[in-house]
Amino acid sequence: MLSAEGIVVGYRKGVPVLDGVDLHITPGETVGLAGPSGCGKSTLAKVLCLLLRPWKGRLRMDGEVITGFRHDAPAALRTRVGVVFQQPRLAVDPRLTLREIVAEPLLANGFPASGVIGLANRVGLTGELLERRPHEVSDGQLQRACLARALALRPRYLVCDEMTAMVDASSTAGLVRVVREQASDLETGVLAISHDDALLDVWADRVERLG
Amino acid sequence: MTEVLLDVHALSVRFQLGRRGRRGVVRAVSAAGFELRAGAVLALVGESGCGKSVLAAALLGLLPANAEVRGRATMDGLELLGAQEKTLAERVRGRMIGLVPQSAASHLTPVRTARAQLVETVRALRQDVADAPAFADDLATRVGLDPATLRLYPHQLSGGTAQRVALSLALAGDPRVLLADEPTVGLDRPLVEHVVDTLADLSTQDKAVLMITHDLAAARRVATHVAVMYASRLVEFGPAGAVLADPWHPYTGALLDALPDGRFRPIPGDPPELTALPDGCAFCQRCPAMPGYPPCTGEATMRRFGDRFVAAHPPAAIPEYGPLC
Amino acid sequence: MADLVGAWHSAARSRAGTPRGRHIGGRARLRGLLGVGGLLVLIAAAVLLPSLGELDQSKVNYGTRLLAPSTAHPFGTDANGADLLLRSFAGLRVSLLVAALCAAISTVLGSLFGAISGALGGWPDRLLMRLVDTVNAVPHLLLGIVIVALFRGNLWAVVASIALTHWTTVARIVRAEVLSLRERPFIDAAISGGSSRARILRRHLLPAIVGQAAISAVLLLPHAVWHETALSFLGLGLPPHLASIGNILTEARRAVLLGSWWVVVFPSVLLVLTTLATSGLAAGWRDRLVPRRRSELAL
């Protein structure tokens, strides 16, 4: 289980964005997180992926209390939580091809890059698209590459931070379908953050509200 | 019938990549035709990259330098596509067509307050207004903005407020056509509804709104007419209620199926590259996955049936009025 | 009815405040091409010309002293009777060599310093940046004079005196670039994907700054040429057998008072042309790089 207990965190001293937030995700479960923009959904997502150290509160992953964040956390713990961000254009290195983007976590952890094809097929990126660079593909196609990257190391938890906000309806349906398959096949615990209630209604097992 | 404000006829836009198109030609808009009547809210929908925003940019003469256009777009007897830059700047932009841009906050000058920019716009566009600051407050109120928030700088505005400031800027010159390019991208659902409702309220007796969006739910909420664009071509056009309730073109159906409150089914495959478009129906590669539609005639241009237009999939029971144009 | 109306026409328009759209790219390309072409011609001449003619800078020939430009000596001759055309290009060769060495060393040093400082952040960054400020606080020419005075007449002393004072600019530019990159979500994604600090630096940050660093290097080139010229002009530069443009101009001071204008004009013009060509190249390159970094055509 991935659980955040009494998280207090912000970006400026004395101005907490989150003030005592609790959230639990069990493997295989999809938790929706709803709330207006600016309520701290993305901040909570960063804490859960070990990218932002909370001022107060505790983060526990599979019984273990997390003490280090960002590079202070061991790679094995960081990679246990996959993440997909809202804006695919900003979430990829513009110089790399989609193949290199998806392969990055595999290579960084000493795995062969041969797994890329399977991952790409899984999100529906076909051969030739993989050789292109971010500016040559649409937002939807790029977000699929980001999802493939997040799934590359078979994370036990997956945080989708407004994954579908920048893409059109068809891409949204496609991305969510892949995440759902992942959740049911590999027992992945998913945090689905969105401001679209209609989407969370069909996607999440239960919906938490923030703000 | 109400007056036609904007008449677009066989509008095409292409981009030459490399010098003289040596690295290929992007066909962004192919022979698009529609008319925008007073009182209408026309939603131009389609997947991202289908050429919607290019169409909007072409109407305002805001295309990049490697673009080429042909066709006609007339408003008030003025031919927009061939117009001189001077004419566009002095008569069209802001005065005849107001533009509500995508991601409004980045279209505001970061170092000046919203009020300063609004007042400046009023002064530039409306010589007849004596008291520009009061007029600016009035504009803000019309789009549901508290005039007090105008003293803020763009970075202090939330996404929805920035969008409303952009809307008031677009209204400053009292244009008869409002052109909103993806006005709701990145906004919360309640804010989306607020923004599109405000837009719809602005299309009164003698005004109209052209809303470019990939958000079908927003289009369904306020549009009176819908134009569906796929791979640079319009494939279906007609009254919003009829088109969205009973789509004739399988692509329209597929878009509706992809909505979370529909069947939530992605459209299989990817749209074709705009550099390598087939001559006929471009949807055929993805079409077989959509059963229940009449067979494809392969024809790319739309034909008219009553008050609706559709390409390649003529309904069996309705007589054809002849081709569009 | 016709499927399409009318013929294609260009949508390019002049917009208020900017030159005609198509020409922005064209002008950058022209400037870049002129820069590259000019520099190539100058370098080729500097490499080839001196070895084609007979030039011995250690010899003095009073018979051909201070001859005005003619067909035999297009640039005239200098106070020692050497052909000024050959001598100027030999000097340019030395100047360019010194400048290229300086630019390369400053850029590598500055890029590494800036990238590491930006990537580490926190107190190591503050410490390293104060070091940069300290180097900057010392007047460059003064520091150069001290180094050269300690190791008189040594080419490497001249290179070191310029390189060691000019890497700070590159370091600042590169650090700023790295700091802005560091905040981008793709770095977060890399951390989440298990990438180590070193891997992020190697894979994402350093490749991103190569373009910036290369432009800084090219921009440093003319600066280094002038700096070396200044040192040599002060008599602190290179030894006479390695005469650079600076040395030639020092020697020319006396001759010009006797009415021999050509000994100053031709070497100076060569220096100015080199500077213009290099900065043209750098500016053209930068203009080409910047629009590419913005997202391309938004369809």
Side-chain angles (χ1 to χ4, degrees), chain C residues 66 120 137 201 286:
Chain C
L66 290 175
L120 288 180
L201 190 63
R286 187 194 51 214

Side-chain angles (χ1 to χ4, degrees), chain B residues 67-71 83 85 325, chain C residues 1 4-5 8-9 11 13-14:
Chain B
E68 290 177 324
V69 291
R70 71 175 167 190
E85 172 65 18
C325 314
Chain C
M1 198 158 216
L4 299 161
V5 178
W8 290 105
H9 53 271
R13 303 164 191 281
S14 59

Side-chain angles (χ1 to χ4, degrees), chain B residues 26-302:
Chain B
V26 174
R27 283 153 65 191
V29 182
S30 303
F34 61 88
E35 50 191 33
L36 185 62
R37 289 177 182 274
V41 178
L42 170 59
L44 183 57
V45 299
E47 284 167 289
S48 44
C50 70
K52 307 183 297 272
S53 295
V54 173
L55 200 159
L59 294 178
L60 285 168
L62 293 175
L63 290 169
N66 62 338
E68 290 177 324
V69 291
R70 71 175 167 190
R72 270 206 314 268
T74 30
M75 186 170 174
D76 273 355
L78 182 73
E79 166 55 55
L80 298 176
L81 297 181
Q84 292 297 311
E85 172 65 18
K86 196 170 145 65
T87 320
L88 287 171
E90 290 175 4
R91 284 184 53 199
V92 179
R93 296 187 197 128
R95 292 180 170 89
M96 281 162 66
I97 304 178
L99 176 69
V100 185
Q102 189 175 344
S103 58
S106 59
H107 279 76
L108 299 170
T109 308
V111 294
R112 299 180 62 205
T113 61
R115 176 187 303 280
Q117 299 181 51
L118 189 51
V119 169
E120 182 188 9
T121 310
V122 170
R123 290 211 169 108
L125 293 176
R126 300 292 295 270
Q127 274 78 27
D128 55 315
V129 172
D131 188 359
F135 191 79
D137 285 354
D138 194 41
L139 279 174
T141 319
R142 270 178 67 198
V143 297
L145 207 58
D146 178 3
T149 54
L150 286 181
R151 69 189 154 73
L152 297 175
Y153 286 89
H155 70 270
Q156 296 169 308
L157 302 172
S158 69
T161 317
Q163 194 53 264
R164 269 173 274 173
V165 170
L167 195 52
S168 61
L169 282 169
L171 290 176
D174 197 26
R176 295 191 67 189
V177 169
L178 263 188
L179 207 166
D181 186 4
E182 300 280 8
T184 60
V185 113
L187 299 183
D188 291 4
R189 187 54 46 186
L191 274 175
V192 167
E193 290 176 357
H194 186 96
V195 167
V196 295
D197 288 352
T198 314
L199 269 174
D201 288 344
L202 295 168
S203 69
T204 50
Q205 290 299 306
D206 60 338
K207 292 196 174 65
V209 175
L210 174 56
M211 182 167 80
I212 290 163
T213 181
H214 65 239
D215 187 344
L216 261 181
R220 190 157 50 186
R221 185 177 171 89
V222 296
T224 61
H225 291 76
V226 173
V228 183
M229 197 163 180
Y230 180 72
S232 92
R233 288 202 172 88
L234 290 183
V235 294
E236 188 159 7
F237 174 60
V243 171
L244 296 177
D246 172 31
W248 287 348
H249 197 282
Y251 179 63
T252 317
L255 278 182
L256 289 166
D257 267 2
L259 289 179
D261 49 7
R263 273 192 265 169
F264 205 34
R265 231 178 60 124
I267 308 174
D270 286 296
E273 295 296 317
L274 295 183
T275 45
L277 285 180
D279 279 334
C281 174
F283 191 62
C284 279
Q285 303 148 340
R286 301 166 88 183
C287 205
M290 298 294 306
Y293 288 86
C296 180
T297 63
E299 202 184 34
T301 45
M302 291 198 294

Side-chain angles (χ1 to χ4, degrees), chain C residues 12-66:
Chain C
R13 303 164 191 281
S14 59
R15 291 196 197 152
T18 53
R20 268 180 74 92
R22 199 180 281 275
H23 290 171
I24 301 172
R27 197 180 288 178
R29 196 180 305 134
L30 183 70
R31 191 158 48 167
L33 283 178
L34 276 180
V36 174
L39 204 60
L40 280 179
V41 169
L42 284 168
I43 289 173
V47 170
L48 296 176
L49 271 182
S51 46
L52 287 179
E54 289 163 27
L55 177 72
D56 189 345
Q57 299 197 42
S58 53
K59 265 191 193 150
V60 179
N61 185 348
Y62 285 103
T64 55
R65 220 172 154 250
L66 290 175

